[in-house]
Amino acid sequence: MDLQDQLKNLFPDHEPSPEEAIEEVAHELYVQKEPMICKFEKRKGKATTIIEGYEGTDEDFKILAKEIKTKLSVGGTFKDDSIIIQGDYRDKIMTILKEKGFKVKRVGG
């Protein structure tokens, strides 16, 4: 006996209402005119890539950080208005950002 049958036994007079279709609107990221900075640093002896200079909201920047981390399958964090990615992925990150329409400037090396 599945859940629908059990509900019909408990509430015989109830008629289920038709499901309403919920339209999900894709979130648009704010694309700025000024270039974002993609730089390489070593922190505690480990390579990190840092992305700075986004002028949109923090939520948009967090969404962008999550997309980058999932596409590259790496760890990272969003801290102090910058995205910190574990490892040296400057070239790959720059291509991802350029595909989204951002201008990116490479700093350091």
Side-chain angles (χ1 to χ4, degrees):
M1 198 177 235
D2 67 340
L3 182 62
Q4 293 294 329
D5 293 334
Q6 291 176 4
L7 288 173
K8 285 180 185 176
N9 288 338
L10 290 173
F11 306 104
D13 297 335
H14 178 72
E15 292 184 22
S17 61
E19 296 283 328
E20 292 184 17
I22 300 173
E23 293 182 26
E24 291 189 23
V25 178
H27 186 74
E28 294 281 328
L29 290 175
Y30 170 73
V31 179
Q32 62 194 28
K33 294 182 180 181
E34 294 296 317
M36 293 172 56
I37 297 172
C38 185
K39 63 183 177 180
F40 171 78
E41 277 187 14
K42 279 202 168 191
R43 294 189 174 186
K44 297 181 183 175
K46 298 186 178 181
T48 58
T49 305
I50 301 170
I51 304 161
E52 297 176 332
Y54 186 68
E55 297 172 353
T57 62
D58 284 347
E59 289 300 317
D60 287 349
F61 208 33
K62 287 179 185 178
I63 291 169
L64 187 63
K66 187 170 185 172
E67 285 180 21
I68 290 170
K69 290 189 299 185
T70 54
K71 282 188 178 182
L72 296 176
S73 300
V74 295
T77 185
F78 172 80
K79 195 184 291 183
D80 300 328
D81 295 331
S82 63
I83 300 172
I84 302 168
I85 303 292
Q86 297 173 352
D88 185 10
Y89 293 100
R90 285 177 290 182
D91 297 328
K92 293 179 183 178
I93 290 172
M94 287 175 67
T95 55
I96 291 170
L97 292 175
K98 285 179 183 176
E99 287 173 359
K100 291 193 167 289
F102 290 100
K103 293 179 184 173
V104 185
K105 190 176 195 180
R106 184 180 177 134
V107 176

